Amino acid sequence: MDLELMTNSFPKLLSATMVTLKLLSVSLIIGLFIGLFFAILRMNKNLFINKFAYGYSYIFRGTPLLVQIFIIYFGLGQIEYLRSTFLWVVLKEPYWCAIIAFSLNTGAYTSEILRSAFQTIKPGFIEAGKSLGLPRKFIFYKIQIPIAIKQSLPAYGNEIILMLKGTSLASTVTLMDLTGVAKYIISTTFKPVEVFIVAGGIYLFMTFVIHNFIKYLEKKFSYQ
Amino acid sequence: MNKLKKFGLGLIVSLFLSFTANAGSIKIGTEGAYPPWNSKDASGNLIGFEVELANALCEIMKHNCTIVEQDWDGMIPALTSKKFDAIMAGMSITDERKKTINFSQGYADEVASLAVMKGSSLENLDTPEGINLSIGGSEVTKALKTLTGALAGKTVCVQTATIHQNFLDSGDVGKVKVRTYKTQDEVNLDLTSGRCDAALAAAVSFTDYAEKSGKAVVLTGPTFSGGAFGNGVGVGIRKGDSKLLNDFNAAIDKARDDGTISKLAIKWFGFDASM
């Protein structure tokens, strides 16, 4: 065990953690909007819209994140036509390719989490709103969405943790996130155990913080 | 229940047998993704210069060899943790690697080169044909200066944990944006997609790719050798495994003398890369 290497690599890994956190937060925010949008589409009575939203979540939940990120990064990069369009400005950058892949992936899971949360809302809540003469939009934004958020917190907390670990795949498209820098250090020291233990510890700590934050929110939003 | 017991016993016996059968035989690790040194054919069998050379050397050493696949970035850790006993994966002999493992004498040498897409502004650089960083001199200094100017602010792509990455990190060509990939295949893909302004690897791996893919990848600048690029490609062996090291050195001597290495090199590289 090379303790010196562990302490030396810690600051480098810590600054790479910022990249990981940036990837995570940006894709979670975009993913939340995508998820909400598709959850609403899923509850639409129009069969075509409904199936479209279902197809999206089916494809992105049914394929590995690694495959998705490879298709977006290496796959789309091979299409010559695409390279001459304005889209290439975004797709040329590994950072945005990773953000697109992560957002679409977490968006699919989030849409399912929110849909099931919406569907478990007791009809009584909505009826109560209606009987008070509240407009439909008001009921949706002020009653349904807050309840849905409450219902979906435990599952969504899980999704955040899964996504945190998912961001490690950014290193496969040349991004220097926590895993990427860990691999870089290993490539010059040939000591994977020490470096990955430190990197794993940092991931574990982030998970610990996220887990407790969600727990705190759950308590705050509980009915009691 | 009885059947289960029998199955378990059989499993233990067969495991035991497989362990004993392996004593006296060695495993050689290769990447299988760095043609023409080592790669895989369409059905997934390992092929290439080093695969055939490994078999030839094993025959000389009278060892029973199995060649196993290992991702490049885990090659040296896999050797030191005894996943296999020798590396033959186009691995150049460098001082940096010698801190962790031993190398046999070199069996082949091959120069590195930058590659760009045809029509790139980096295509016609005013540099000598080849530079040897170990020798140095005014010509080398001048060539590195030209490269530093040409590559300033450009993205240069390399495979991770390679001599090519070490060279770019060394600062000899100034501060270029280095992008590292897990395999050379991915480097080639991103060179053709235009995400990389240039790529650095063994010259032959670019010409091999250009030939097979039909993509307009061309070499540019000088060929590099010496310095960070090491001194030829040798067999990587664990420190302390001196018997195997001696065996390989003797076998390489023999294979060189009887022309086996040259013959295989010409077959796979198109020129005599043996040393």
Side-chain angles (χ1 to χ4, degrees):
Chain A
M1 210 42 102
D2 188 344
L3 285 176
E4 202 189 320
L5 173 65
M6 291 171 92
T7 42
N8 284 344
S9 53
F10 186 67
K12 290 180 207 155
L13 291 171
L14 216 52
S15 60
T17 306
M18 294 318 292
V19 179
T20 292
L21 285 175
K22 213 168 121 193
L23 281 170
L24 178 71
S25 48
V26 173
S27 37
L28 279 176
I29 291 166
I30 302 175
L32 193 60
F33 282 107
I34 296 176
L36 189 61
F37 177 68
F38 277 94
I40 294 167
L41 292 192
R42 273 299 289 281
M43 290 178 297
N44 197 297
K45 294 220 169 57
N46 183 320
L47 197 69
F48 178 75
I49 293 174
N50 191 312
K51 286 284 176 228
F52 168 72
Y54 178 68
Y56 160 72
S57 91
Y58 186 80
I59 288 169
F60 279 91
R61 292 188 310 145
T63 51
L65 182 54
L66 180 64
V67 172
Q68 292 161 17
I69 195 167
F70 266 32
I71 287 178
I72 290 171
Y73 186 80
F74 288 112
L76 296 184
Q78 289 303 301
I79 303 169
E80 225 155 290
Y81 167 72
L82 207 70
R83 297 210 292 265
S84 59
T85 64
F86 72 97
L87 279 174
W88 188 239
V89 180
V90 174
L91 290 173
K92 196 179 175 192
E93 295 305 319
Y95 178 77
W96 289 112
C97 287
I99 291 283
I100 292 169
F102 295 157
S103 304
L104 287 172
N105 184 277
T106 187
Y109 283 97
T110 309
S111 79
E112 290 298 321
I113 292 168
L114 291 177
R115 175 194 59 84
S116 69
F118 276 124
Q119 285 174 347
T120 51
I121 296 173
K122 290 195 182 76
F125 287 111
I126 299 163
E127 279 160 19
K130 278 183 188 161
S131 67
L132 287 170
L134 299 174
R136 187 77 191 84
K137 267 202 176 141
F138 190 89
I139 294 173
F140 183 72
Y141 286 112
K142 294 287 170 187
I143 298 177
Q144 279 174 282
I145 285 190
I147 295 176
I149 288 172
K150 219 174 293 177
Q151 298 270 28
S152 54
L153 262 182
Y156 191 64
N158 252 340
E159 173 57 21
I160 296 174
I161 290 168
L162 285 175
M163 242 2 257
L164 168 69
K165 291 178 287 184
T167 57
S168 65
L169 292 174
S171 65
T172 62
V173 291
T174 77
L175 280 176
M176 282 300 177
D177 71 325
L178 180 48
T179 306
V181 169
K183 281 182 177 166
Y184 177 79
I185 297 172
I186 292 163
S187 78
T188 52
T189 58
F190 312 115
K191 285 182 176 154
V193 178
E194 285 89 343
V195 180
F196 276 141
I197 283 178
V198 177
I202 296 175
Y203 276 115
L204 204 60
F205 177 73
M206 287 193 278
T207 309
F208 171 81
V209 172
I210 294 168
H211 175 80
N212 281 291
F213 180 64
I214 295 291
K215 230 162 106 181
Y216 162 78
L217 284 184
E218 273 177 49
K219 225 179 206 162
K220 207 179 155 196
F221 279 117
S222 70
Y223 295 110
Q224 277 81 32
Chain B
M1 197 58 210
N2 221 348
K3 252 187 192 164
L4 202 67
K5 261 188 197 159
K6 257 188 198 161
F7 175 73
L9 203 68
L11 202 68
I12 291 164
V13 169
S14 61
L15 273 178
F16 181 72
L17 283 178
S18 68
F19 276 128
T20 48
N22 266 342
S25 69
I26 59 163
K27 274 191 187 165
I28 298 174
T30 197
E31 189 195 4
Y34 202 62
W37 293 91
N38 54 77
S39 60
K40 278 186 283 186
D41 64 11
S43 48
N45 300 314
L46 288 165
I47 55 164
F49 169 67
E50 282 169 319
V51 176
E52 290 189 13
L53 181 63
N55 287 328
L57 293 179
C58 288
E59 209 162 283
I60 296 170
M61 296 188 288
K62 302 215 160 39
H63 274 309
N64 189 6
C65 294
T66 13
I67 301 174
V68 294
E69 223 181 303
Q70 165 67 45
D71 281 347
W72 174 257
D73 53 2
M75 195 65 79
I76 289 177
L79 177 73
T80 53
S81 61
K82 302 193 175 176
K83 292 255 161 57
F84 42 75
D85 310 293
I87 298 171
M88 287 181 77
M91 190 177 274
S92 301
I93 305 166
T94 64
D95 292 338
E96 183 140 292
R97 288 175 182 143
K98 272 195 203 155
K99 285 182 207 154
T100 315
I101 59 171
N102 280 336
F103 280 99
S104 74
Q105 55 171 314
Y107 51 79
D109 199 7
E110 215 276 315
V111 290
S113 173
L114 287 163
V116 292
M117 294 309 287
K118 215 172 170 56
S120 155
S121 61
L122 294 170
E123 207 181 325
N124 296 306
L125 294 173
D126 179 30
T127 52
E129 201 131 296
I131 54 173
N132 187 320
L133 298 173
S134 299
I135 294 169
S138 62
E139 204 177 35
V140 172
T141 323
K142 198 174 147 239
L144 290 177
K145 215 174 157 193
T146 311
L147 287 170
T148 307
L151 293 175
K154 304 276 187 198
T155 305
V156 183
C157 300
V158 287
Q159 187 178 8
T160 183
T162 55
I163 48 174
H164 316 108
Q165 184 191 346
N166 292 347
F167 172 67
L168 293 177
D169 284 347
S170 74
D172 276 358
V173 286
K175 280 204 166 164
V176 293
K177 284 184 211 146
V178 182
R179 229 178 244 177
T180 57
Y181 296 79
K182 205 172 157 71
T183 66
Q184 182 61 33
D185 281 343
E186 291 175 358
V187 175
N188 295 338
L189 276 179
D190 254 10
L191 179 65
T192 54
S193 80
R195 286 200 186 98
C196 310
D197 297 313
L200 181 65
V204 70
S205 66
F206 290 124
T207 48
D208 188 81
Y209 174 71
E211 189 184 310
K212 282 181 188 145
S213 68
K215 296 271 165 62
V217 174
V218 290
L219 299 179
T220 186
T223 58
F224 300 94
S225 57
F229 293 96
N231 304 300
V233 170
V235 184
I237 288 162
R238 262 190 304 279
K239 286 207 163 158
D241 236 352
S242 50
K243 178 162 184 319
L244 192 62
L245 184 67
N246 293 336
D247 283 359
F248 264 109
N249 276 331
I252 291 169
D253 273 336
K254 209 164 167 211
R256 183 185 299 123
D257 291 344
D258 68 11
T260 309
I261 305 183
S262 298
K263 206 181 76 201
L264 289 176
I266 290 167
K267 176 182 170 187
W268 287 97
F269 293 94
F271 59 93
D272 190 358
S274 70
M275 65 179 276

